Amino acid sequence: MRALIAAAIGLAVALALVLTITAMGSPTGTTSPKPLLTTVPSHP
């Protein structure tokens, strides 16, 4: 019985954490204007 209660409490805590993170939303920011290097430089 204790294991069932512990599992229920753990599930409730995990759900509360997910809802809290979801409520905070995604962080605002901008992307870098510099393009990323996608090619390998030539070998000397």
Side-chain angles (χ1 to χ4, degrees):
M1 190 67 180
R2 284 188 214 171
L4 186 61
I5 293 171
I9 291 172
L11 185 62
V13 169
L15 185 62
L17 183 64
V18 167
L19 290 176
T20 302
I21 293 173
T22 304
M24 287 170 50
S26 60
T28 57
T30 57
T31 58
S32 174
K34 294 182 181 178
L36 296 174
L37 295 176
T38 56
T39 57
V40 177
S42 60
H43 200 285

mmCIF file of all heavy atoms in Angstrom:
data_model
loop_
_atom_site.group_PDB
_atom_site.id
_atom_site.type_symbol
_atom_site.label_atom_id
_atom_site.label_comp_id
_atom_site.label_asym_id
_atom_site.label_seq_id
_atom_site.Cartn_x
_atom_site.Cartn_y
_atom_site.Cartn_z
ATOM 1 N N MET A 1 0.827 -1.203 0.000
ATOM 2 C CA MET A 1 0.000 0.000 0.000
ATOM 3 C C MET A 1 0.868 1.261 0.000
ATOM 4 O O MET A 1 0.541 2.241 -0.647
ATOM 5 C CB MET A 1 -0.905 -0.046 1.238
ATOM 6 C CG MET A 1 -1.971 0.996 1.244
ATOM 7 S SD MET A 1 -3.151 0.659 -0.062
ATOM 8 C CE MET A 1 -4.264 1.986 0.160
ATOM 9 N N ARG A 2 1.975 1.192 0.739
ATOM 10 C CA ARG A 2 2.863 2.352 0.784
ATOM 11 C C ARG A 2 3.453 2.650 -0.590
ATOM 12 O O ARG A 2 3.646 3.808 -0.946
ATOM 13 C CB ARG A 2 4.003 2.115 1.770
ATOM 14 C CG ARG A 2 3.593 2.249 3.202
ATOM 15 C CD ARG A 2 4.821 2.189 4.072
ATOM 16 N NE ARG A 2 4.505 1.540 5.327
ATOM 17 C CZ ARG A 2 5.402 1.185 6.213
ATOM 18 N NH1 ARG A 2 6.682 1.370 5.958
ATOM 19 N NH2 ARG A 2 5.031 0.613 7.335
ATOM 20 N N ALA A 3 3.758 1.591 -1.334
ATOM 21 C CA ALA A 3 4.332 1.785 -2.667
ATOM 22 C C ALA A 3 3.331 2.472 -3.591
ATOM 23 O O ALA A 3 3.706 3.325 -4.401
ATOM 24 C CB ALA A 3 4.764 0.450 -3.249
ATOM 25 N N LEU A 4 2.072 2.109 -3.463
ATOM 26 C CA LEU A 4 1.039 2.729 -4.288
ATOM 27 C C LEU A 4 0.883 4.209 -3.957
ATOM 28 O O LEU A 4 0.760 5.052 -4.851
ATOM 29 C CB LEU A 4 -0.293 1.999 -4.079
ATOM 30 C CG LEU A 4 -1.443 2.426 -4.966
ATOM 31 C CD1 LEU A 4 -1.100 2.179 -6.426
ATOM 32 C CD2 LEU A 4 -2.704 1.681 -4.584
ATOM 33 N N ILE A 5 0.927 4.529 -2.686
ATOM 34 C CA ILE A 5 0.830 5.933 -2.258
ATOM 35 C C ILE A 5 2.048 6.715 -2.740
ATOM 36 O O ILE A 5 1.929 7.834 -3.240
ATOM 37 C CB ILE A 5 0.675 6.020 -0.723
ATOM 38 C CG1 ILE A 5 -0.673 5.427 -0.314
ATOM 39 C CG2 ILE A 5 0.795 7.463 -0.247
ATOM 40 C CD1 ILE A 5 -0.842 5.273 1.186
ATOM 41 N N ALA A 6 3.227 6.111 -2.616
ATOM 42 C CA ALA A 6 4.456 6.780 -3.068
ATOM 43 C C ALA A 6 4.422 7.012 -4.575
ATOM 44 O O ALA A 6 4.837 8.068 -5.057
ATOM 45 C CB ALA A 6 5.671 5.954 -2.677
ATOM 46 N N ALA A 7 3.913 6.035 -5.320
ATOM 47 C CA ALA A 7 3.818 6.190 -6.771
ATOM 48 C C ALA A 7 2.825 7.298 -7.138
ATOM 49 O O ALA A 7 3.069 8.086 -8.051
ATOM 50 C CB ALA A 7 3.399 4.876 -7.408
ATOM 51 N N ALA A 8 1.717 7.370 -6.424
ATOM 52 C CA ALA A 8 0.721 8.407 -6.684
ATOM 53 C C ALA A 8 1.285 9.792 -6.371
ATOM 54 O O ALA A 8 1.063 10.750 -7.124
ATOM 55 C CB ALA A 8 -0.531 8.147 -5.869
ATOM 56 N N ILE A 9 2.028 9.905 -5.274
ATOM 57 C CA ILE A 9 2.628 11.188 -4.913
ATOM 58 C C ILE A 9 3.675 11.588 -5.957
ATOM 59 O O ILE A 9 3.739 12.743 -6.389
ATOM 60 C CB ILE A 9 3.241 11.125 -3.500
ATOM 61 C CG1 ILE A 9 2.123 11.022 -2.461
ATOM 62 C CG2 ILE A 9 4.113 12.343 -3.227
ATOM 63 C CD1 ILE A 9 2.617 10.770 -1.055
ATOM 64 N N GLY A 10 4.486 10.634 -6.392
ATOM 65 C CA GLY A 10 5.496 10.915 -7.418
ATOM 66 C C GLY A 10 4.867 11.355 -8.728
ATOM 67 O O GLY A 10 5.351 12.269 -9.386
ATOM 68 N N LEU A 11 3.782 10.707 -9.102
ATOM 69 C CA LEU A 11 3.081 11.079 -10.330
ATOM 70 C C LEU A 11 2.492 12.476 -10.215
ATOM 71 O O LEU A 11 2.554 13.268 -11.158
ATOM 72 C CB LEU A 11 1.980 10.058 -10.622
ATOM 73 C CG LEU A 11 1.226 10.244 -11.925
ATOM 74 C CD1 LEU A 11 2.161 10.120 -13.104
ATOM 75 C CD2 LEU A 11 0.103 9.224 -12.029
ATOM 76 N N ALA A 12 1.932 12.796 -9.058
ATOM 77 C CA ALA A 12 1.359 14.124 -8.852
ATOM 78 C C ALA A 12 2.445 15.206 -8.902
ATOM 79 O O ALA A 12 2.240 16.275 -9.491
ATOM 80 C CB ALA A 12 0.632 14.175 -7.514
ATOM 81 N N VAL A 13 3.600 14.932 -8.317
ATOM 82 C CA VAL A 13 4.701 15.901 -8.342
ATOM 83 C C VAL A 13 5.205 16.094 -9.772
ATOM 84 O O VAL A 13 5.454 17.223 -10.208
ATOM 85 C CB VAL A 13 5.847 15.450 -7.407
ATOM 86 C CG1 VAL A 13 7.099 16.283 -7.616
ATOM 87 C CG2 VAL A 13 5.401 15.522 -5.953
ATOM 88 N N ALA A 14 5.338 14.995 -10.514
ATOM 89 C CA ALA A 14 5.804 15.096 -11.898
ATOM 90 C C ALA A 14 4.806 15.880 -12.748
ATOM 91 O O ALA A 14 5.200 16.716 -13.565
ATOM 92 C CB ALA A 14 6.024 13.702 -12.478
ATOM 93 N N LEU A 15 3.533 15.625 -12.560
ATOM 94 C CA LEU A 15 2.504 16.346 -13.313
ATOM 95 C C LEU A 15 2.511 17.831 -12.958
ATOM 96 O O LEU A 15 2.387 18.687 -13.840
ATOM 97 C CB LEU A 15 1.129 15.741 -13.025
ATOM 98 C CG LEU A 15 -0.022 16.319 -13.833
ATOM 99 C CD1 LEU A 15 0.185 16.084 -15.315
ATOM 100 C CD2 LEU A 15 -1.338 15.709 -13.377
ATOM 101 N N ALA A 16 2.678 18.152 -11.685
ATOM 102 C CA ALA A 16 2.735 19.554 -11.267
ATOM 103 C C ALA A 16 3.955 20.241 -11.877
ATOM 104 O O ALA A 16 3.876 21.401 -12.304
ATOM 105 C CB ALA A 16 2.787 19.646 -9.743
ATOM 106 N N LEU A 17 5.073 19.540 -11.963
ATOM 107 C CA LEU A 17 6.284 20.111 -12.560
ATOM 108 C C LEU A 17 6.080 20.381 -14.044
ATOM 109 O O LEU A 17 6.448 21.447 -14.544
ATOM 110 C CB LEU A 17 7.455 19.157 -12.335
ATOM 111 C CG LEU A 17 8.813 19.628 -12.824
ATOM 112 C CD1 LEU A 17 9.249 20.870 -12.068
ATOM 113 C CD2 LEU A 17 9.837 18.526 -12.664
ATOM 114 N N VAL A 18 5.477 19.446 -14.737
ATOM 115 C CA VAL A 18 5.215 19.631 -16.170
ATOM 116 C C VAL A 18 4.260 20.799 -16.386
ATOM 117 O O VAL A 18 4.479 21.630 -17.272
ATOM 118 C CB VAL A 18 4.652 18.328 -16.788
ATOM 119 C CG1 VAL A 18 4.090 18.580 -18.175
ATOM 120 C CG2 VAL A 18 5.725 17.260 -16.833
ATOM 121 N N LEU A 19 3.215 20.887 -15.601
ATOM 122 C CA LEU A 19 2.269 21.994 -15.752
ATOM 123 C C LEU A 19 2.913 23.343 -15.434
ATOM 124 O O LEU A 19 2.613 24.346 -16.073
ATOM 125 C CB LEU A 19 1.051 21.764 -14.858
ATOM 126 C CG LEU A 19 0.127 20.627 -15.300
ATOM 127 C CD1 LEU A 19 -0.996 20.429 -14.293
ATOM 128 C CD2 LEU A 19 -0.441 20.889 -16.686
ATOM 129 N N THR A 20 3.797 23.368 -14.450
ATOM 130 C CA THR A 20 4.489 24.614 -14.102
ATOM 131 C C THR A 20 5.386 25.065 -15.247
ATOM 132 O O THR A 20 5.397 26.242 -15.616
ATOM 133 C CB THR A 20 5.332 24.418 -12.827
ATOM 134 O OG1 THR A 20 4.476 24.001 -11.773
ATOM 135 C CG2 THR A 20 6.037 25.699 -12.431
ATOM 136 N N ILE A 21 6.143 24.129 -15.819
ATOM 137 C CA ILE A 21 7.031 24.483 -16.924
ATOM 138 C C ILE A 21 6.221 24.919 -18.142
ATOM 139 O O ILE A 21 6.587 25.866 -18.835
ATOM 140 C CB ILE A 21 7.960 23.297 -17.260
ATOM 141 C CG1 ILE A 21 8.929 23.064 -16.099
ATOM 142 C CG2 ILE A 21 8.718 23.532 -18.552
ATOM 143 C CD1 ILE A 21 9.774 21.820 -16.238
ATOM 144 N N THR A 22 5.101 24.247 -18.381
ATOM 145 C CA THR A 22 4.248 24.617 -19.507
ATOM 146 C C THR A 22 3.649 26.008 -19.305
ATOM 147 O O THR A 22 3.563 26.796 -20.249
ATOM 148 C CB THR A 22 3.121 23.584 -19.681
ATOM 149 O OG1 THR A 22 3.710 22.292 -19.839
ATOM 150 C CG2 THR A 22 2.266 23.897 -20.883
ATOM 151 N N ALA A 23 3.264 26.326 -18.091
ATOM 152 C CA ALA A 23 2.658 27.631 -17.812
ATOM 153 C C ALA A 23 3.671 28.764 -17.975
ATOM 154 O O ALA A 23 3.299 29.880 -18.353
ATOM 155 C CB ALA A 23 2.086 27.640 -16.404
ATOM 156 N N MET A 24 4.938 28.476 -17.710
ATOM 157 C CA MET A 24 5.968 29.506 -17.848
ATOM 158 C C MET A 24 6.178 29.866 -19.322
ATOM 159 O O MET A 24 6.573 30.985 -19.633
ATOM 160 C CB MET A 24 7.284 29.030 -17.235
ATOM 161 C CG MET A 24 7.262 29.004 -15.725
ATOM 162 S SD MET A 24 8.682 28.184 -14.992
ATOM 163 C CE MET A 24 10.041 28.956 -15.798
ATOM 164 N N GLY A 25 5.940 28.936 -20.208
ATOM 165 C CA GLY A 25 6.075 29.203 -21.635
ATOM 166 C C GLY A 25 7.512 29.096 -22.089
ATOM 167 O O GLY A 25 8.438 28.904 -21.301
ATOM 168 N N SER A 26 7.688 29.252 -23.382
ATOM 169 C CA SER A 26 9.039 29.167 -23.931
ATOM 170 C C SER A 26 9.770 30.482 -23.703
ATOM 171 O O SER A 26 9.154 31.547 -23.705
ATOM 172 C CB SER A 26 8.983 28.843 -25.420
ATOM 173 O OG SER A 26 8.282 29.852 -26.085
ATOM 174 N N PRO A 27 11.063 30.425 -23.517
ATOM 175 C CA PRO A 27 11.812 31.656 -23.285
ATOM 176 C C PRO A 27 11.850 32.520 -24.553
ATOM 177 O O PRO A 27 11.917 31.998 -25.661
ATOM 178 C CB PRO A 27 13.217 31.171 -22.917
ATOM 179 C CG PRO A 27 13.308 29.809 -23.499
ATOM 180 C CD PRO A 27 11.924 29.250 -23.476
ATOM 181 N N THR A 28 11.810 33.814 -24.351
ATOM 182 C CA THR A 28 11.876 34.716 -25.493
ATOM 183 C C THR A 28 13.337 34.959 -25.835
ATOM 184 O O THR A 28 14.189 35.040 -24.957
ATOM 185 C CB THR A 28 11.190 36.055 -25.176
ATOM 186 O OG1 THR A 28 11.818 36.619 -24.032
ATOM 187 C CG2 THR A 28 9.717 35.867 -24.891
ATOM 188 N N GLY A 29 13.604 35.054 -27.090
ATOM 189 C CA GLY A 29 14.979 35.285 -27.514
ATOM 190 C C GLY A 29 15.041 35.459 -29.006
ATOM 191 O O GLY A 29 14.045 35.357 -29.719
ATOM 192 N N THR A 30 16.224 35.747 -29.481
ATOM 193 C CA THR A 30 16.409 35.916 -30.914
ATOM 194 C C THR A 30 17.459 34.929 -31.390
ATOM 195 O O THR A 30 18.290 34.463 -30.609
ATOM 196 C CB THR A 30 16.876 37.344 -31.246
ATOM 197 O OG1 THR A 30 18.085 37.598 -30.529
ATOM 198 C CG2 THR A 30 15.830 38.368 -30.836
ATOM 199 N N THR A 31 17.416 34.636 -32.659
ATOM 200 C CA THR A 31 18.414 33.751 -33.227
ATOM 201 C C THR A 31 19.646 34.553 -33.602
ATOM 202 O O THR A 31 19.589 35.765 -33.809
ATOM 203 C CB THR A 31 17.859 33.037 -34.464
ATOM 204 O OG1 THR A 31 17.442 34.031 -35.399
ATOM 205 C CG2 THR A 31 16.686 32.143 -34.108
ATOM 206 N N SER A 32 20.747 33.874 -33.702
ATOM 207 C CA SER A 32 22.001 34.530 -34.045
ATOM 208 C C SER A 32 21.992 34.939 -35.517
ATOM 209 O O SER A 32 21.595 34.161 -36.376
ATOM 210 C CB SER A 32 23.159 33.578 -33.777
ATOM 211 O OG SER A 32 24.363 34.152 -34.236
ATOM 212 N N PRO A 33 22.443 36.144 -35.841
ATOM 213 C CA PRO A 33 22.492 36.547 -37.246
ATOM 214 C C PRO A 33 23.612 35.845 -38.008
ATOM 215 O O PRO A 33 23.597 35.805 -39.227
ATOM 216 C CB PRO A 33 22.723 38.054 -37.176
ATOM 217 C CG PRO A 33 23.368 38.284 -35.864
ATOM 218 C CD PRO A 33 22.830 37.210 -34.939
ATOM 219 N N LYS A 34 24.603 35.309 -37.301
ATOM 220 C CA LYS A 34 25.719 34.642 -37.964
ATOM 221 C C LYS A 34 25.296 33.242 -38.403
ATOM 222 O O LYS A 34 24.757 32.485 -37.608
ATOM 223 C CB LYS A 34 26.919 34.523 -37.009
ATOM 224 C CG LYS A 34 27.522 35.852 -36.622
ATOM 225 C CD LYS A 34 28.709 35.626 -35.725
ATOM 226 C CE LYS A 34 29.335 36.954 -35.303
ATOM 227 N NZ LYS A 34 30.461 36.746 -34.381
ATOM 228 N N PRO A 35 25.571 32.890 -39.648
ATOM 229 C CA PRO A 35 25.227 31.534 -40.083
ATOM 230 C C PRO A 35 26.197 30.502 -39.506
ATOM 231 O O PRO A 35 27.354 30.826 -39.220
ATOM 232 C CB PRO A 35 25.365 31.608 -41.607
ATOM 233 C CG PRO A 35 26.337 32.717 -41.832
ATOM 234 C CD PRO A 35 26.130 33.701 -40.712
ATOM 235 N N LEU A 36 25.714 29.315 -39.316
ATOM 236 C CA LEU A 36 26.578 28.252 -38.814
ATOM 237 C C LEU A 36 27.376 27.665 -39.960
ATOM 238 O O LEU A 36 26.899 27.599 -41.097
ATOM 239 C CB LEU A 36 25.743 27.147 -38.172
ATOM 240 C CG LEU A 36 24.959 27.556 -36.937
ATOM 241 C CD1 LEU A 36 24.072 26.415 -36.498
ATOM 242 C CD2 LEU A 36 25.898 27.937 -35.817
ATOM 243 N N LEU A 37 28.586 27.231 -39.664
ATOM 244 C CA LEU A 37 29.418 26.607 -40.684
ATOM 245 C C LEU A 37 28.901 25.185 -40.891
ATOM 246 O O LEU A 37 28.843 24.398 -39.962
ATOM 247 C CB LEU A 37 30.891 26.581 -40.261
ATOM 248 C CG LEU A 37 31.551 27.950 -40.127
ATOM 249 C CD1 LEU A 37 32.968 27.799 -39.602
ATOM 250 C CD2 LEU A 37 31.575 28.662 -41.466
ATOM 251 N N THR A 38 28.525 24.862 -42.114
ATOM 252 C CA THR A 38 27.999 23.526 -42.378
ATOM 253 C C THR A 38 28.912 22.712 -43.271
ATOM 254 O O THR A 38 28.627 21.572 -43.569
ATOM 255 C CB THR A 38 26.615 23.633 -43.058
ATOM 256 O OG1 THR A 38 26.760 24.416 -44.230
ATOM 257 C CG2 THR A 38 25.602 24.273 -42.123
ATOM 258 N N THR A 39 30.013 23.304 -43.713
ATOM 259 C CA THR A 39 30.939 22.566 -44.567
ATOM 260 C C THR A 39 32.247 22.374 -43.839
ATOM 261 O O THR A 39 32.637 23.182 -42.988
ATOM 262 C CB THR A 39 31.192 23.308 -45.887
ATOM 263 O OG1 THR A 39 31.695 24.608 -45.583
ATOM 264 C CG2 THR A 39 29.919 23.434 -46.699
ATOM 265 N N VAL A 40 32.956 21.331 -44.201
ATOM 266 C CA VAL A 40 34.258 21.061 -43.595
ATOM 267 C C VAL A 40 35.302 21.854 -44.355
ATOM 268 O O VAL A 40 35.314 21.833 -45.594
ATOM 269 C CB VAL A 40 34.570 19.542 -43.667
ATOM 270 C CG1 VAL A 40 35.946 19.257 -43.104
ATOM 271 C CG2 VAL A 40 33.493 18.754 -42.986
ATOM 272 N N PRO A 41 36.181 22.575 -43.671
ATOM 273 C CA PRO A 41 37.213 23.332 -44.386
ATOM 274 C C PRO A 41 38.159 22.388 -45.115
ATOM 275 O O PRO A 41 38.369 21.253 -44.691
ATOM 276 C CB PRO A 41 37.929 24.102 -43.281
ATOM 277 C CG PRO A 41 37.508 23.508 -42.012
ATOM 278 C CD PRO A 41 36.231 22.772 -42.240
ATOM 279 N N SER A 42 38.747 22.877 -46.203
ATOM 280 C CA SER A 42 39.648 22.030 -46.982
ATOM 281 C C SER A 42 40.892 21.700 -46.175
ATOM 282 O O SER A 42 41.397 22.520 -45.406
ATOM 283 C CB SER A 42 40.036 22.729 -48.272
ATOM 284 O OG SER A 42 40.693 23.962 -47.969
ATOM 285 N N HIS A 43 41.381 20.503 -46.363
ATOM 286 C CA HIS A 43 42.563 20.053 -45.611
ATOM 287 C C HIS A 43 43.802 20.637 -46.259
ATOM 288 O O HIS A 43 43.946 20.587 -47.480
ATOM 289 C CB HIS A 43 42.614 18.509 -45.636
ATOM 290 C CG HIS A 43 43.468 17.959 -44.549
ATOM 291 N ND1 HIS A 43 44.825 17.998 -44.597
ATOM 292 C CD2 HIS A 43 43.159 17.349 -43.386
ATOM 293 C CE1 HIS A 43 45.319 17.421 -43.507
ATOM 294 N NE2 HIS A 43 44.316 17.028 -42.751
ATOM 295 N N PRO A 44 44.713 21.185 -45.469
ATOM 296 C CA PRO A 44 45.912 21.808 -46.067
ATOM 297 C C PRO A 44 46.869 20.788 -46.682
ATOM 298 O O PRO A 44 46.945 19.686 -46.354
ATOM 299 C CB PRO A 44 46.580 22.525 -44.907
ATOM 300 C CG PRO A 44 45.990 21.988 -43.672
ATOM 301 C CD PRO A 44 44.690 21.345 -44.048
#
